[in-house]
């Protein structure tokens, strides 16, 4: 049980699953039969013993304030099916997972070690770099390598324009990949990513030369901005450094609020998994983005259930129009939220995206909430239309291939709903929805 005495819903639990197979397996364990020794504390700990194929049951503990998990099973998934099953049982049956019990020694040991590790990380973060001068020299050396990479990329773009865009289709992808590897060598992963995107455009469908020219212009703009970064206003300079791929750290005063978890989804390039978690401050009205990363085969942390409200501090990253933040101290266990953030019309969403581009020209999309919109099929895909028929936004081309769009259509049933998502030049990607007929957040990822 959370400190507010509220348990999660089954949908919020299943949103934590790393894949569909885990959701299915966890659902089979969300009943009392295989469990014994279950309990939960007011501090957010849930524990239990799950009968497996062997003689010794699996010891499973979940800290819902993270959430964080441990289990004695051999699974490499986080959370494993036993953690999901335990949380589903906790969410559905208060009698099966009684509150107020004392945690067994094996659960208490893990909870104490988790707290000790968190305290050690905090002390390390507060201490700062061990040798500030050495850190400054490393940063200067990396900046010099990035500058050399940007100058080389400028030459590559000049050759592209000089030879004509039509020749890019015959040149093939190999030259682009070679250039991208050189950007990686220059420690400019942001530039490397843009080069790979450029290399994928030639021959990609009708109108590809226009898209190649547009993206080449944006890459040229980023190159020139880096080469003159010392002359830029600091907020824009911080944005340029981030877009090039230099790491940044959260700074400034912490902002405490009750943060509603709007959406969470992972993307992978085969080597690294990136997790994006969108939050909305109930009191401040701010929207924030948490970014975390995990190597292949291991999910990034934190994993926050969509639809819960977290009483916590966030520390903002620098940059013009920057929404990225780091999750700081938490003051209570998450509790379910029901009301969506304030939304606007399609016109309001486009205005917000346009204003954001003024601060960050390389922005792909901007988080917006659409109020009273209806998902409707169109000649070329789907649209989200204002209920009054005033305007509509096309849904991004990749969305129809995901189950979330059909879930959105089912939630709507032809009636207006509230939808949160990312609005950009490719259209609108729906990530969460709310219906006036049903409480709670419906994840669409």
């Amino acid at each position: 049980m959370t400190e507010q005495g509220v348990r999660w819903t089954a949908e919020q639990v299943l949103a934590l699953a790393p894949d569909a197979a885990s959701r299915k397996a966890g659902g089979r364990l969300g009943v009392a039969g295989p469990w014994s020794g279950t309990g939960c504390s007011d501090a957010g700990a849930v524990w239990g013993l799950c009968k497996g194929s062997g003689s010794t049951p699996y010891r499973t503990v979940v800290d819902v304030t993270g959430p964080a998990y441990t289990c004695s099973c051999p699974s490499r998934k986080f959370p494993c099916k036993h953690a999901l099953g335990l949380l589903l049982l906790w969410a559905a049956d208060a009698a099966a997972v009684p509150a107020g019990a004392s945690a067994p020694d094996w659960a208490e040991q893990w909870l104490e070690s988790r707290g000790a590790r968190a305290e050690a990380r905090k002390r390390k973060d507060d201490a700062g770099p061990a040798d500030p001068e050495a850190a400054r020299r490393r940063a200067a050396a990396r900046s010099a390598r990035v500058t050399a990479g940007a100058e080389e990329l400028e030459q590559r773009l000049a050759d592209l324009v000089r030879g004509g865009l039509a020749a890019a289709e015959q040149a093939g992808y190999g030259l682009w990949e070679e250039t991208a590897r050189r950007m990686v060598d220059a420690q400019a992963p942001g530039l490397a990513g843009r080069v790979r995107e450029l290399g994928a455009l030639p021959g990609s469908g009708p109108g590809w030369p226009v898209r190649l020219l547009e993206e080449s212009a944006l890459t040229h703009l980023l190159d020139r901005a880096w080469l003159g970064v010392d002359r830029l206003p600091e907020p824009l300079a911080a944005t340029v450094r981030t877009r090039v791929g230099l790491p940044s750290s959260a700074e400034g005063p912490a902002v405490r609020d009750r943060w509603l978890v709007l959406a969470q989804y992972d993307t992978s390039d085969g080597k690294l998994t990136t997790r994006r978690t969108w939050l909305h401050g109930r009191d401040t009205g701010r929207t924030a983005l948490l970014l975390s990363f995990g190597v292949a085969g291991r999910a990034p942390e934190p994993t926050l259930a969509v639809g819960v409200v977290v009483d916590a501090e966030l520390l903002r990253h620098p940059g013009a129009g920057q929404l990225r933040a780091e999750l700081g101290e938490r003051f209570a266990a998450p509790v379910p939220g029901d009301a969506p953030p304030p939304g606007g019309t399609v016109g309001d969403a486009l205005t917000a995206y346009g204003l954001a581009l003024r601060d960050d020209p390389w922005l792909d999309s901007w988080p917006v909430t659409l109020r009273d919109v209806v998902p409707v099929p169109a000649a070329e895909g789907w649209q989200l239309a204002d209920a009054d028929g005033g305007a509509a936004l096309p849904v991004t081309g990749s969305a129809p291939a995901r189950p979330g769009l059909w879930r959105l259509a089912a939630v709507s049933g032809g009636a207006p709903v509230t939808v949160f998502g990312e609005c950009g030049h490719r259209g609108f990607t729906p990530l969460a929805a709310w219906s006036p007929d049903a409480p709670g957040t419906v994840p669409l990822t």
Side-chain angles (χ1 to χ4, degrees):
M1 188 177 296
T2 65
E3 291 183 2
Q4 289 80 2
V6 181
R7 303 194 184 207
W8 295 357
T9 65
E11 191 163 51
Q12 289 166 340
V13 172
L14 292 174
L16 303 174
D19 51 42
S22 296
R23 282 192 291 272
K24 184 176 181 179
R28 290 196 294 265
L29 294 175
V31 293
W35 292 96
S36 62
T38 56
C40 62
S41 71
D42 292 338
V46 186
W47 59 85
L49 299 170
C50 186
K51 183 179 179 181
S53 57
S55 58
T56 303
Y58 296 123
R59 296 176 172 181
T60 307
V61 191
V62 179
D63 181 357
V64 299
T65 63
Y69 327 88
T70 186
C71 185
S72 59
C73 75
S75 174
R76 296 175 60 86
K77 295 183 179 181
F78 295 92
C80 68
K81 63 181 182 181
H82 305 101
L84 290 171
L86 178 61
L87 284 177
L88 287 170
L89 183 63
W90 168 73
D93 192 345
V97 186
S102 297
D105 291 343
W106 51 268
E108 192 63 42
Q109 289 173 2
W110 178 76
L111 293 167
E112 289 178 355
S113 65
R114 172 171 160 75
R117 288 194 300 271
E119 183 62 30
R121 284 195 298 268
K122 186 176 185 301
R123 288 197 300 269
K124 183 178 179 180
D125 292 342
D126 292 342
D131 188 344
E133 180 58 28
R136 186 196 64 78
R137 289 196 299 268
R138 288 194 297 270
R142 179 171 185 175
S143 293
R145 286 190 289 270
V146 173
T147 296
E151 291 172 343
E152 181 178 346
L153 181 53
E154 279 293 276
Q155 184 60 52
R156 174 74 180 92
L157 294 174
D159 293 342
L160 172 68
V161 174
R162 188 180 302 110
L165 297 180
E169 188 173 14
Q170 284 74 42
Y173 185 75
L175 186 58
W176 293 105
E177 180 58 31
E178 179 185 348
T179 304
R181 286 196 296 265
R182 294 180 72 84
M183 295 304 104
V184 172
D185 293 340
Q187 293 186 286
L191 293 180
R194 299 196 73 89
V195 169
R196 290 192 172 102
E197 290 177 3
L198 291 175
L201 289 174
S204 59
W208 70 261
V210 174
R211 296 193 297 275
L212 179 59
L213 182 60
E214 291 172 345
E215 294 301 323
S216 296
L218 284 172
T219 304
H220 168 69
L221 179 64
L222 182 57
D223 269 345
R224 300 311 303 176
W226 170 260
L227 296 174
V229 69
D230 294 338
R231 301 188 297 274
L232 298 177
E234 181 49 36
L236 181 57
T239 297
V240 170
R241 288 191 287 267
T242 299
R243 290 295 179 186
V244 164
L246 297 186
S248 67
S249 57
E251 59 185 32
V255 178
R256 180 177 177 180
D257 204 338
R258 296 176 299 119
W259 300 96
L260 171 65
V261 183
L262 297 171
Q264 181 172 272
Y265 65 94
D266 296 347
T267 56
S268 176
D269 61 3
K271 297 180 180 179
L272 189 71
T273 299
T274 301
R275 171 162 294 166
R276 290 172 172 84
T277 305
W278 286 108
L279 307 176
H280 175 78
R282 289 298 203 188
D283 302 323
T284 61
R286 297 187 180 187
T287 300
L289 173 65
L290 305 182
L291 280 180
S292 54
F293 306 92
V295 296
R298 188 177 183 90
E301 293 185 354
T303 300
L304 298 176
V306 173
V308 302
V309 175
V310 183
D311 183 1
E313 290 181 340
L314 293 187
L315 289 86
R316 179 177 170 275
H317 278 246
Q322 180 64 257
L323 296 179
R324 185 183 176 187
E326 298 288 341
L327 188 61
E329 183 178 357
R330 305 185 206 185
F331 301 95
V335 297
D338 49 11
T345 65
V346 167
D348 295 332
L350 294 174
T351 298
Y353 177 51
L355 292 174
L357 284 174
R358 181 183 60 187
D359 294 327
D360 183 355
W362 306 279
L363 193 66
D364 285 329
S365 60
W366 188 252
V368 297
T369 301
L370 300 175
R371 184 185 65 247
D372 294 333
V373 292
V374 181
V376 293
E380 298 181 356
W382 283 72
Q383 295 180 341
L384 290 175
D386 285 332
D388 60 7
L393 270 175
V395 173
T396 50
S398 59
R402 303 173 183 172
L405 181 60
W406 304 107
R407 193 179 303 142
L408 173 59
V411 169
S412 167
V417 290
T418 298
V419 183
F420 168 79
E422 297 170 351
C423 178
H425 62 279
R426 296 183 180 91
F428 184 87
T429 303
L431 299 176
W434 297 261
S435 169
D437 299 329
T441 306
V442 178
L444 302 178
T445 55

